[in-house]
C-alpha cells in the first residue's frame, strides 16, 4: 500500500497544519510522520538549550496527539545536512513512501536543503506549503512586483489582502481508518544541550498553547495597545516560543483575534496586536527576498563599514546584566533566567549594545539566539537590524535610545527592575533608574556596578562612527 510521509520541521502541531492536512486528505493510504532532530550545521542558526527543551516537550505532545489519530511519529537524528537527506531517503524506501509533505521554511540554508531533498527524492512527489505565514511570501508586493522595504506600506497592503481573502484554518486530521495507536509511546529525548523552561510562562504542549491564545484574546488583546510597552505588566501574549516552533499557526492567532475583536482589520480594538503579527510576516517575507540577511549581512550595505568596538569586557557586562543601567541589566537577567525578554526591553538592550557600546549588532543577535526560547532567525535578525539602523527601519541611524529615560518612561516605579535586580531593593523609587547618584549622595554602598559608559559621550561617538561609515561608502 502506498504511504504518505509528513515531515515535521518548525510546525509541531496537529491543528491547522496545511501539510499534515494534505497528507491525511485520503483515507486510502498509510500516513507516517517524521521529525529529524536539527543539528547545528543543519539549521541556519544554533538553537538555545531552552528552545531545545521546549522543542522536546512539544515533540512528546505531538507524538501523543498523532498517535491518537493513528499516525506514528518517527524521530531521527542526523549529524549533518547530507545525513538528513540520507535519513529521509532511507525512511522513504523502507516505508514505500509515494508522497512527501512538508511546510516551507524560509531561512536560506533550509531552502537549500529542500531543493537538495527534492532532487534526491525525484521519484517521490514532494509537496510544500506556505503554512507558517498568513500570506505567502510573494503575495504582498509593491506595484512593481518588488518586496516592500519599509514596514508600514507592507502592512497596509497586507491588510488589504486579508480583507479581500481571509486565510482560513484547516481542520486537524481525522482518526485514521486503522484507529488510534495502542502501543505505549517511548518518550522522545533530543540529543542536544537542554535547559529547563517554566511551563507556567510558556505553553508546553499544543493544547495549552491553544488555551493560552484563547485566554489572551478574550481577556487581554483589546488592552494590548495600552499595556504592551510596560514590562512589569503581563500585557503581551508570550506566544512567541509557540509561533517560532509552529506549535501555533498565525492563522489560528488571526481567527482567535477576530473572534474577540471583529473589527481589528479595520483598525479597531486588537489592531495593534495584529500589527505585531504582521511584523512577524514582514521579516519572513524579507528573508525570502533578501537571503543575505540569513548570512547576517546588513540590509543597508554602507553600515557594514561602521568601525565597531571589539570590547569583550563590555560585551560580557551586557550579557551578564552588569552594565550599571538598571533597565538594561534587569532585561538581560530576565533573558538569562527565563529565555524570554519583553519586546520593549529587546529594543532597549539592543540599542544599548549597538549605540552605547558600539558593539557589532551581530554579537547581540548571536547572543540572543543562544538564550531565547523563541529564537527565530527572521524576527531576531529583523529586530537587531532595526535597532542597529542597518535594516529596513524608516528612522535614520541617529535615533538612539537613552537607557535611563527609557527606564523612567516604561518602568516608572521600578517594579520590573526590582524584580530582576534584588540588589536595588533598598534604593528609593525616585533613584531607581540612576542608583549610583543616590548612593554617592547618601553615601550608601550598593552591590551594583557604576555605568560602564557615559551615555552622552557614547552617543556622540556612535553618531560619528556611523557618519564616517556613510561617507566612506
Ligand atoms: P506579542 O506582543 O504578544 O506579539 C504576538 C506575536 O507577534 C509574537 O509572539 C511574535 O510572534 C510576533 N511579534 C511581535 N512583535 C514582533 C516583532 N517586532 N517582530 C517580529 N515578530 C513579532 N521575536 C521572536 O519571535 N523571536 C526572536 O528571536 C525575536 N528576537 C528579537 C530581537 C530583537 C532585538 C527585537 C527588538 C525583537 C525580537 N523579536 C523576536 C520580536 C518580539 O520582541 C517578540 O516576538 C515578542 O517580544 C514576543 O513576545 P510575545 O509573544 O508576548 O509577543
Amino acid at each position: 500500500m502506498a504511504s504518505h510521509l509528513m515531515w515535521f520541521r518548525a510546525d509541531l502541531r496537529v491543528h491547522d497544519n496545511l501539510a499534515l492536512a494534505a497528507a491525511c486528505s485520503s483515507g486510502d493510504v498509510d500516513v507516517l510522520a517524521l521529525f529529524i532532530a536539527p543539528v547545528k550545521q543543519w539549521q541556519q542558526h544554533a538553537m538555545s538549550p531552552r528552545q531545545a527543551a521546549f522543542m522536546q516537550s512539544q515533540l512528546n505532545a505531538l507524538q501523543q496527539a498523532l498517535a491518537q489519530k493513528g499516525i506514528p511519529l518517527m524521530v531521527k537524528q542526523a549529524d549533518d545536512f547530507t545525513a538528513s537527506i540520507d535519513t529521509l531517503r532511507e525512511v522513504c524506501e523502507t516505508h514505500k513512501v509515494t508522497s512527501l509533505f512538508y511546510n516551507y521554511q524560509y531561512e536560506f540554508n533550509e531552502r537549500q536543503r529542500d531543493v537538495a531533498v527534492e532532487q534526491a527524492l525525484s521519484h517521490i512527489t514532494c509537496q510544500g506549503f506556505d503554512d507558517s505565514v498568513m500570506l505567502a511570501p510573494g503575495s504582498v508586493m509593491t506595484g512593481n512586483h518588488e518586496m516592500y522595504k519599509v514596514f508600514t506600506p507592507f502592512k497596509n497592503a497586507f491588510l488589504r489582502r486579508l480583507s479581500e481573502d481571509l486565510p482560513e484554518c484547516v481542520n486537524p486530521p481525522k482518526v485514521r481508518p486503522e484507529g488510534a495507536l495502542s502501543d505505549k509511546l517511548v518518550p522522545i529525548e533530543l540529543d542536544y544541550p537542554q535547559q529547563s523552561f517554566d511551563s507556567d510562562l510558556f505553553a508546553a504542549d499544543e493544547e495549552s498553547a491553544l488555551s493560552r491564545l484563547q485566554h489572551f484574546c478574550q481577556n487581554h488583546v483589546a488592552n494590548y495597545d495600552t499595556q504592551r510597552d510596560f514590562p512589569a505588566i503581563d500585557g503581551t501574549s508570550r506566544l512567541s516560543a509557540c509561533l517560532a516552533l509552529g506549535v501555533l499557526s498565525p492563522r489560528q492567532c488571526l481567527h482567535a483575534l477576530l473572534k474577540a475583536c471583529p473589527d481589528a482589520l479595520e483598525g479597531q480594538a486588537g489592531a495593534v496586536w495584529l500589527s505585531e503579527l504582521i511584523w512577524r510576516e514582514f521579516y519572513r517575507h524579507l528573508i525570502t527576498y533578501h537571503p543575505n540577511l540569513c548570512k547576517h549581512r546588513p540590509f543597508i550595505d554602507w553600515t557594514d563599514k561602521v568601525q565597531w568596538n571589539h570590547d569583550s569586557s563590555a560585551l560580557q557586562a551586557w550579557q551578564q546584566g552588569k552594565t550599571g543601567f538598571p533597565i538594561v541589566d534587569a532585561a538581560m537577567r530576565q533573558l538569562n533566567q527565563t529565555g524570554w525578554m519583553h519586546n520593549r526591553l529587546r529594543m532597549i538592550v539592543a540599542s544599548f549594545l549597538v549605540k552605547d557600546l558600539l558593539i557589532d549588532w551581530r554579537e547581540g543577535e548571536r547572543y540572543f539566539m543562544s538564550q531565547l526560547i523563541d529564537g527565530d532567525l527572521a524576527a531576531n535578525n529583523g529586530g537587531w537590524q532595526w535597532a542597529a539602523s542597518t535594516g529596513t527601519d524608516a528612522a535614520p541611524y541617529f535615533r538612539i535610545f537613552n537607557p535611563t529615560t527609557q527606564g523612567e518612561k516604561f518602568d516608572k516605579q521600578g517594579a520590573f527592575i526590582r524584580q530582576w535586580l534584588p540588589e536595588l531593593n533598598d534604593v528609593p523609587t525616585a533613584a531607581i533608574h540612576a542608583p549610583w547618584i543616590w548612593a554617592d549622595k547618601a553615601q550608601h554602598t550598593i552591590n551594583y556596578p557604576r555605568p560602564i559608559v557615559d551615555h552622552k559621550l557614547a552617543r556622540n561617538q556612535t553618531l560619528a562612527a556611523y557618519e564616517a561609515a556613510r561617507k566612506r561608502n
Side-chain angles (χ1 to χ4, degrees):
M1 187 167 168
S3 52
H4 286 178
L5 180 65
M6 166 65 197
W7 179 16
F8 281 97
R9 295 109 69 96
D11 50 354
L12 306 183
R13 65 180 187 285
V14 294
H15 292 85
D16 189 36
N17 186 322
L18 300 186
L20 179 65
C24 298
S25 60
S26 157
D28 299 337
V29 290
D30 280 344
V31 179
L32 307 160
L34 171 70
F35 181 79
I36 306 180
V39 289
K40 207 173 163 181
Q41 301 89 314
W42 225 58
Q43 301 199 119
Q44 192 81 52
H45 59 79
M47 186 168 42
S48 80
R50 273 210 180 78
Q51 194 169 37
F54 187 70
M55 177 183 268
Q56 180 169 296
S57 170
Q58 303 299 344
L59 275 171
N60 279 294
L62 179 69
Q63 183 186 32
Q64 276 201 348
L66 288 171
Q68 283 162 14
K69 307 273 178 204
I71 303 170
L73 174 67
M74 295 170 272
V75 176
K76 308 270 179 187
Q77 175 97 30
D79 286 340
D80 58 23
F81 186 89
T82 322
S84 68
I85 299 178
D86 292 343
T87 304
L88 256 179
R89 197 188 282 117
E90 214 175 279
V91 169
C92 289
E93 274 168 21
T94 313
H95 297 278
K96 301 194 172 35
V97 170
T98 47
S99 295
L100 175 69
F101 297 81
Y102 55 80
N103 292 311
Y104 292 127
Q105 290 180 291
Y106 303 111
E107 294 86 352
F108 180 73
N109 283 0
E110 277 78 346
R111 283 165 58 195
Q112 296 286 95
R113 174 205 56 198
D114 288 351
V115 170
V117 162
E118 292 198 10
Q119 280 167 0
L121 303 181
S122 55
H123 55 295
I124 288 174
T125 315
C126 297
Q127 293 192 44
F129 296 83
D130 286 295
D131 167 88
S132 77
V133 282
M134 292 182 239
L135 299 177
S139 64
V140 185
M141 306 291 269
T142 66
N144 294 333
H145 305 290
E146 284 169 4
M147 172 60 197
Y148 285 94
K149 293 191 170 74
V150 180
F151 176 69
T152 306
F154 173 82
K155 177 177 131 177
N156 294 337
F158 197 97
L159 285 169
R160 275 197 300 278
R161 284 284 325 271
L162 281 188
S163 322
E164 286 158 18
D165 189 8
L166 203 65
E168 293 301 334
C169 292
V170 294
N171 289 328
K174 295 199 176 86
V175 181
R176 305 297 303 160
E178 313 82 63
L181 299 181
S182 51
D183 294 352
K184 206 165 177 297
L185 301 175
V186 179
I188 297 166
E189 285 182 25
L190 293 182
D191 182 15
Y192 205 96
Q194 296 193 24
Q195 192 176 8
S196 62
F197 67 92
D198 184 342
S199 55
D200 289 338
L201 296 181
F202 309 103
D205 54 52
E206 188 179 348
E207 289 304 325
S208 324
L210 282 168
S211 350
R212 194 176 180 93
L213 171 63
Q214 306 306 341
H215 179 84
F216 175 75
C217 287
Q218 279 154 21
N219 299 288
H220 299 288
V221 82
N223 299 324
Y224 178 80
D225 56 337
T226 55
Q227 304 207 321
R228 69 182 171 131
D229 266 326
F230 302 98
I233 299 176
D234 189 14
T236 71
S237 69
R238 276 190 207 256
L239 289 171
S240 48
C242 292
L243 281 158
L245 292 189
V247 178
L248 286 178
S249 79
R251 291 173 302 278
Q252 290 172 308
C253 294
L254 175 66
H255 285 282
L257 167 66
L258 292 179
K259 195 169 167 204
C261 300
D263 299 325
L265 285 177
E266 284 80 49
Q268 303 301 311
V272 179
W273 197 60
L274 177 58
S275 184
E276 297 306 317
L277 293 172
I278 301 177
W279 270 108
R280 179 180 173 279
E281 304 264 327
F282 179 57
Y283 289 139
R284 281 179 181 235
H285 288 216
L286 207 63
I287 61 166
T288 312
Y289 283 92
H290 299 276
N292 268 346
L293 296 175
C294 297
K295 298 174 197 160
H296 314 284
R297 309 288 311 152
F299 189 76
I300 303 173
D301 285 339
W302 67 259
T303 61
D304 225 9
K305 298 206 166 76
V306 173
Q307 300 285 300
W308 305 109
N309 273 342
H310 300 282
D311 183 342
S312 55
S313 60
L315 176 61
Q316 203 176 43
W318 176 82
Q319 290 172 340
Q320 294 177 350
K322 292 184 179 167
T323 66
F325 289 90
I327 196 70
V328 173
D329 294 340
M332 293 306 290
R333 299 210 204 162
Q334 179 184 40
L335 173 67
N336 293 336
Q337 288 173 40
T338 67
W340 184 86
M341 191 194 286
H342 188 278
N343 181 58
R344 167 58 50 184
L345 302 176
R346 293 189 205 210
M347 295 195 285
I348 296 174
V349 303
S351 172
F352 184 80
L353 183 79
V354 180
K355 305 273 179 79
D356 279 79
L357 301 181
L358 199 58
I359 289 178
D360 192 334
W361 56 273
R362 284 161 281 222
E363 291 286 356
E365 185 193 20
R366 197 170 19 248
Y367 186 70
F368 262 33
M369 280 320 248
S370 76
Q371 298 297 315
L372 282 172
I373 190 168
D374 63 16
D376 174 280
L377 187 144
N380 195 43
N381 181 275
W384 276 97
Q385 296 226 34
W386 182 92
S389 311
T390 61
T392 53
D393 186 17
Y397 63 85
F398 34 86
R399 182 214 41 220
I400 297 183
F401 285 174
N402 176 326
T404 309
T405 53
Q406 285 285 311
E408 288 165 355
K409 199 164 165 197
F410 297 110
D411 189 31
K412 200 164 181 213
Q413 303 299 319
F416 180 82
I417 290 175
R418 285 179 213 284
Q419 186 187 349
W420 297 98
L421 304 179
E423 62 268 47
L424 296 184
N425 266 346
D426 294 336
V427 177
T429 297
I432 196 77
H433 299 287
W436 63 95
I437 300 180
W438 168 79
D440 283 353
K441 249 196 212 154
Q443 296 194 331
H444 283 294
T445 317
I446 44 171
N447 182 21
Y448 182 69
R450 300 180 78 80
I452 60 169
V453 282
D454 176 323
H455 173 69
K456 265 196 195 148
L457 213 68
R459 184 177 189 281
N460 291 337
Q461 282 166 356
T462 297
L463 290 177
Y466 272 71
E467 193 50 36
R470 202 165 62 94
K471 283 194 181 136
R472 235 176 271 137
N473 193 36

